[in-house]
Amino acid sequence: MQSNQNGLFSIQQVADMTGLSKQVIRKWEERYGIIQPKRLDNGYRVYSHEDVKTLLKVKLLSEQGHSLKQAALLVKEVEEEPKMPLFKDEQKSPNYEQWNEYVLRLLEKGNHCDEIELNFILNQAYHHLGIDHFLTDIAIPFLKEVGRKWENHEWSEYQESVSSLVVRDFLVQIRRNYQYRDSAPFVLGACLPYEHHEVPLHLVLMKFMMKGWKTQLVGASPAPGSIESLVCKLKPSVVLLSATTTIPFETDPTLLQRLDEFAQKQENIAFYLGGQGTIHYHFDYKPRAIRITNSVEDILKP
């Protein structure tokens, strides 16, 4: 089920999107005046996109330590003065203002692990918005919120896994069906051994694809030595290595040095290593041929 023709959601849909119970939603409305949903002729409440976003903002502020009364006042002040900061860490906070119905519906279906509906909504968004806006306005915000819900124990590992894998498979489908020029440069992406989080690398490869590159991804947690073998066989122009966690470096402390020594021997192949695990890990070894960066734009500079 999606919003009705007037863009309104039922209270159950809002509960699925926000992670708030129906009782809490009603309490926030009646006691704190946080939202004022419309009523149908039968008395049922219906909620707008803005109502949902307001609830999400108040919820996040309460998680940051604000009382519900303070959170409601803060949201109201920001609505009156949009330039005012809302969250303590604006850089890491979800940008609810830019969320659209697609993201909200994905959260609703992800809460129920409804793979068919998740795929249907992703297809709708992709064909409606095009690949660029699909990535920036739908896929990335949704995946970030999925990760946040899992970290905050709002979603189970199963809910997080189903939602992430559906998006991953959809991105793979787009890349497989994309038409390349015969002369297109080739980038090979690979998670490091022992790294299982491959979705961030899919998103990076999509950005290369949009710039006209041919892309290929080595599966999550490849066997030691398989990256080197594929590089020798495929001869890509660029190799992107990814570690979302620090597990690869903790499991194999010499991994970076070995890969760097291999990279030094490869002529005309540029090697990059990124991901949050890479940025957060303290390396004793300083690579010579592998550049550590989390900026796709720097790599794609002409």
Side-chain angles (χ1 to χ4, degrees):
M1 181 179 178
Q2 63 188 65
S3 64
N4 66 19
Q5 60 183 357
N6 296 316
L8 300 173
F9 300 100
S10 70
I11 192 170
Q12 183 60 61
Q13 288 178 298
V14 176
D16 292 336
M17 293 169 183
T18 62
L20 300 169
S21 69
K22 291 186 285 187
Q23 291 79 8
V24 166
I25 295 170
R26 293 191 189 101
K27 175 183 175 182
W28 286 10
E29 171 200 343
E30 296 166 356
R31 184 175 297 182
Y32 301 100
I34 290 172
I35 54 173
Q36 296 297 325
K38 296 180 179 179
R39 297 267 188 164
L40 299 176
D41 293 340
N42 57 13
Y44 289 132
R45 295 169 170 86
V46 286
Y47 302 79
S48 68
H49 296 161
E50 293 306 316
D51 290 333
V52 178
K53 293 175 185 177
T54 297
L55 289 169
L56 287 166
K57 293 173 189 175
V58 172
K59 178 184 176 185
L60 188 55
L61 284 167
S62 68
E63 291 171 352
Q64 292 182 344
H66 296 279
S67 69
L68 288 175
K69 186 175 180 179
Q70 289 174 327
L73 288 172
L74 276 171
V75 171
K76 185 177 179 180
E77 289 172 4
V78 171
E79 288 173 351
E80 295 173 352
E81 184 61 50
K83 293 183 180 180
M84 290 180 61
L86 181 61
F87 302 112
K88 293 180 180 179
D89 191 340
E90 209 59 51
Q91 294 298 318
K92 295 181 181 179
S93 299
N95 191 351
Y96 295 130
E97 290 298 338
Q98 295 184 1
W99 281 18
N100 51 43
E101 183 177 341
Y102 291 118
V103 176
L104 297 176
R105 287 167 55 200
L106 286 169
L107 289 171
E108 176 196 355
K109 302 307 178 184
N111 184 63
H112 293 286
C113 301
D114 191 333
E115 296 183 44
I116 294 176
E117 283 296 318
L118 284 169
N119 266 304
F120 179 75
I121 296 167
L122 290 171
N123 263 299
Q124 276 190 322
Y126 175 61
H127 290 293
H128 177 216
L129 299 174
I131 188 169
D132 192 7
H133 287 293
F134 170 77
L135 289 176
T136 58
D137 299 339
I138 308 298
I140 292 175
F142 175 59
L143 288 170
K144 285 183 176 180
E145 184 64 8
V146 168
R148 195 187 72 82
K149 283 180 175 292
W150 179 75
E151 290 175 359
N152 291 346
H153 306 291
E154 294 179 38
W155 275 15
S156 67
E157 185 172 336
Y158 181 66
Q159 288 171 303
E160 185 274 337
S161 177
V162 168
S163 296
S164 297
L165 290 177
V166 168
V167 176
R168 182 204 67 181
D169 292 345
F170 190 80
L171 296 177
V172 170
Q173 178 183 340
I174 293 174
R175 287 199 300 109
R176 284 178 177 168
N177 294 330
Y178 194 79
Q179 298 297 313
Y180 301 97
R181 292 189 176 92
D182 292 337
S183 59
F186 173 39
V187 55
L188 177 68
C191 292
L192 293 182
Y194 317 109
E195 176 56 65
H196 292 275
H197 293 78
E198 64 180 84
V199 174
L201 193 51
H202 280 286
L203 293 170
V204 173
L205 289 178
M206 293 289 286
K207 293 183 179 181
F208 273 81
M209 185 194 77
M210 291 161 56
K211 293 289 186 179
W213 288 64
K214 180 181 178 182
T215 65
Q216 185 169 333
L217 176 67
V218 181
S221 188
S226 60
I227 295 174
E228 295 91 327
S229 297
L230 281 171
V231 170
C232 291
K233 179 180 179 181
L234 300 175
K235 297 296 182 183
S237 302
V238 171
V239 176
L240 300 179
L241 305 171
S242 175
T244 301
T245 68
T246 58
I247 293 174
F249 312 113
E250 294 165 352
T251 305
D252 186 351
T254 66
L255 176 62
L256 177 59
Q257 182 174 348
R258 294 201 312 275
L259 286 171
D260 188 53
E261 290 172 353
F262 168 77
Q264 292 177 50
K265 300 175 184 177
Q266 309 308 308
E267 296 183 3
N268 303 319
I269 301 178
F271 286 77
Y272 296 90
L273 173 60
Q276 291 303 310
T278 302
I279 302 303
H280 292 152
Y281 190 77
H282 176 72
F283 295 103
D284 294 325
Y285 176 81
K286 301 298 181 183
R288 297 180 181 179
I290 297 177
R291 180 181 172 187
I292 295 179
T293 179
N294 248 11
S295 173
V296 177
E297 288 71 24
D298 284 349
I299 303 173
L300 286 169
K301 282 181 179 178

